[in-house]
Amino acid sequence: MKAPATHTAALLDSTHGKPKLLVVDDQPDNIQLLVQAFGGDYQVFMATSGEQALAVCHSDPPDLVLLDVLMPGMDGFAVCRQLKGQEATAHIPIILVTARADAGQETHGLGLGAVDFIAKPINPAVVRARVHTHLTLKFQADLLKKLVLLDGLSGVFNRRYFDQQLATEWARSARSGLSLSLVLLDVDNFGAYNERHGHQAGDDCLRLIAVTLKSVLRRPADVVARFGGEEFACLLPDTSHEDARALAQEMERRVRQLGLPHGSGRMVSVSVGLGTRVSPHNGQARDLLDLASAQLQQAKDAGRGVVRHASLDTTPAPL
């Protein structure tokens, strides 16, 4: 049986290929059996204790957990309870596996939030079928959540999602001390483009620019969003000012290279403003947004079709 819904996984952009399974069992033979059953179509990770399973789920969340109930120390029920009790891991589907299945255990496990219950000895074909079913359900639910956060015209994330991610990444940057960069882009003279070519052409132009911006970014954590009207935002976690500057320049260059005729011999271009938090900053996420906005305005004042950039608590620097 193949991994679930390749097109769905691609839309989610969450598995980067094969879905990730975490197999938790204190018996190596049981783990090996499941690894053999899933190794061809899935990325299989292993844990031999409840504590290790929790650590894996927090450091690199799997798409599904196959969790043995009877383990020394922290048993499967305790692990399930902790995973479902924490926001960061509550969404991970858990299939409980036990050699002593009965109605009471099954009711208890399902009550804790497990999605299924499998009895030992394990039948590989049955386990594969159930994993396939629950992963498909998870990916479909994730996709529906994600669609709510997509911009209907351009296909990239919308302003609501951008605002959420900016707050999240600002807080993460504050904890880790890592840099955070934000790029704002505005399509130059877009009102005139609409008047000359029509609104349908304007919509097509925005879609093409959105695709182009996404093609420049290569890391899963990077976010492209439609900020509003003809403006786009690119949030770049753990990206230095120098690297973000190179990406901003590439975005401006790629849009210009599309060769979309604006009129009077000019091509469609974007003005770009970049702001970076390069060191601990006691302000708020709004400070980074204001900085990028100010740099975008400087790019427009400089004649449009250029990039301007600055870091928080530093002097703006022209390109």
Side-chain angles (χ1 to χ4, degrees):
M1 180 175 294
K2 295 298 181 183
T6 301
H7 65 284
T8 303
L11 283 169
L12 289 170
D13 193 25
S14 61
T15 61
H16 315 298
K18 298 178 181 180
K20 295 185 291 187
L21 302 183
L22 174 61
V23 177
V24 187
D25 199 305
D26 64 310
Q27 298 298 319
D29 289 345
N30 294 333
I31 289 180
Q32 190 59 37
L33 177 63
L34 290 170
V35 169
Q36 291 174 355
F38 293 107
D41 295 323
Y42 300 85
Q43 301 178 67
V44 183
F45 300 86
M46 295 164 281
T48 56
S49 69
E51 292 81 2
Q52 189 179 14
L54 293 174
V56 171
C57 287
H58 284 287
S59 63
D60 188 14
D63 294 303
L64 184 143
V65 178
L66 283 163
L67 177 59
D68 188 34
V69 171
L70 302 176
M71 295 187 295
M74 179 180 289
D75 66 14
F77 290 138
V79 175
C80 184
R81 184 182 297 107
Q82 288 206 29
L83 290 176
K84 292 301 176 181
Q86 300 180 31
E87 183 177 356
T89 55
H91 67 286
I92 302 173
I94 298 171
I95 297 178
L96 293 172
V97 183
T98 184
R100 285 190 267 170
D102 59 53
Q105 275 202 339
E106 185 170 352
T107 300
H108 181 53
L110 295 175
L112 292 175
V115 297
D116 209 342
F117 211 98
I118 296 176
K120 295 180 180 179
I122 293 170
N123 182 319
V126 171
V127 176
R128 285 198 302 268
R130 293 191 180 184
V131 166
H132 174 91
T133 296
H134 290 297
L135 279 177
T136 300
L137 292 172
K138 177 185 182 295
F139 290 160
Q140 289 173 344
D142 288 348
L143 180 58
L144 288 174
K145 292 177 183 177
K146 205 165 190 178
L147 287 174
V148 174
L149 300 173
L150 290 179
D151 174 60
L153 172 66
S154 64
V156 297
F157 287 111
N158 57 24
R159 177 65 182 271
R160 175 185 174 189
Y161 182 79
F162 168 80
D163 289 341
Q164 292 176 2
Q165 287 303 108
L166 177 59
T168 298
E169 295 299 345
W170 179 269
R172 182 177 289 118
S173 174
R175 293 192 302 269
S176 67
L178 297 174
S179 56
L180 175 63
S181 294
L182 171 60
V183 179
L184 292 182
L185 308 94
D186 184 82
V187 183
D188 296 324
N189 300 306
F190 188 68
Y193 184 90
N194 269 336
E195 290 179 8
R196 178 181 293 269
H197 300 283
H199 288 281
Q200 182 60 54
D203 290 348
D204 292 341
C205 174
L206 292 178
R207 292 189 191 98
L208 189 54
I209 289 176
V211 170
T212 301
L213 297 180
K214 287 186 67 175
S215 72
V216 174
L217 305 182
R218 299 176 178 85
R219 301 189 312 169
D222 296 340
V223 169
V224 179
R226 189 177 178 198
F227 193 69
E230 63 270 22
E231 283 191 335
F232 294 89
C234 299
L235 191 61
L236 311 172
D238 189 18
T239 303
S240 69
H241 190 69
E242 293 75 18
D243 289 344
R245 175 182 172 181
L247 287 171
Q249 291 173 315
E250 181 66 12
M251 291 173 192
E252 192 280 326
R253 184 163 47 248
R254 291 274 195 94
V255 171
R256 192 182 297 274
Q257 288 175 347
L258 290 174
L260 298 174
H262 197 301
S264 302
R266 295 180 294 115
M267 298 297 172
V268 170
S269 63
V270 289
S271 297
V272 186
L274 162 66
T276 303
R277 175 186 186 168
V278 295
S279 60
H281 184 81
N282 294 327
Q284 300 177 342
R286 183 75 201 185
D287 299 335
L288 183 60
L289 182 58
D290 289 344
L291 177 65
S293 297
Q295 294 308 297
L296 175 58
Q297 187 59 54
Q298 286 196 20
K300 293 180 181 179
D301 294 342
R304 304 179 188 273
V306 297
V307 179
R308 290 293 181 265
H309 62 99
S311 301
L312 284 172
D313 300 329
T314 65
T315 302
L319 285 174

